[in-house]
Amino acid sequence: MTRRFTFILMMLAAVMAVSAQRPDTLNIVGHITADGVNTVTQPAALSRLLMRSAAASVAVEHTDDDQTEADKGASEPAASKSRVAGYRVQVFSDNNSSTAKNEARSKARHISERFPEWRTYVIYNSPYWRLKVGDFRTQREANDAADEIKRAFPSYGKEVRVVRDRINF
């Protein structure tokens, strides 16, 4: 008797599962698009932000949320500047989760003190923390800056290299 009861329950569950997967069953997408008219209401500030970020660049720097403007070396948010192809000097790159962030910020402070004319960027792009310096239009400018950084900070010399990047213009 219990085998028959179990069999009936299993058949009932199978029938219910098959009927739930029918294409005419209303789902959330079908519900939203059912009448063909969709209205999206959003604040004007969100529209401006979306338009600005779409125009800013395709490659966006992934930065730490608690990163201050002083760490970025910026006097205004990067989203408000136009970004173009160029070069930066990468001074530091590490994926050690316990020390890399603080080391990148420390080196950024040292470089900002020595070279206040160049902006520093502490960037987190999982799993790496990187420190990049400057916004250089040509590779020659970036190479000259890299040489100056190597002379000023000989201990950073092994990691200093010029990289292509989207720069603030």
Side-chain angles (χ1 to χ4, degrees), residues 34-156:
D35 61 358
V37 177
N38 298 314
T39 304
V40 177
T41 305
Q42 65 187 19
L46 179 60
S47 297
R48 287 190 301 273
L49 181 62
L50 291 172
M51 295 301 287
R52 186 183 311 148
S53 66
S57 71
V58 174
V60 176
E61 293 175 348
H62 298 284
T63 57
D64 187 35
D65 288 339
D66 65 347
Q67 185 176 6
T68 63
E69 293 299 319
D71 291 332
K72 292 181 199 175
S75 58
E76 59 186 271
S80 66
K81 299 207 179 252
S82 63
R83 296 174 51 91
V84 297
Y87 298 88
R88 288 193 174 141
V89 178
Q90 182 172 296
V91 177
F92 175 78
S93 178
D94 194 6
N95 65 350
N96 184 337
S97 60
S98 61
T99 61
K101 179 179 178 180
N102 291 334
E103 190 172 348
R105 288 182 173 184
S106 173
K107 288 183 177 186
R109 278 191 301 278
H110 292 138
I111 289 174
S112 291
E113 289 170 2
R114 177 68 173 87
F115 302 104
E117 67 274 14
W118 297 331
R119 294 171 60 183
T120 59
Y121 301 89
V122 174
I123 301 165
Y124 179 71
N125 189 355
S126 183
Y128 289 95
W129 282 94
R130 291 189 170 100
L131 169 61
K132 296 181 182 179
V133 177
D135 295 304
F136 304 105
R137 295 288 304 214
T138 65
Q139 189 172 14
R140 182 180 181 94
E141 292 174 349
N143 284 330
D144 291 344
D147 291 340
E148 285 188 51
I149 291 171
K150 286 178 185 178
R151 280 193 299 274
F153 302 100
S155 61
Y156 299 175

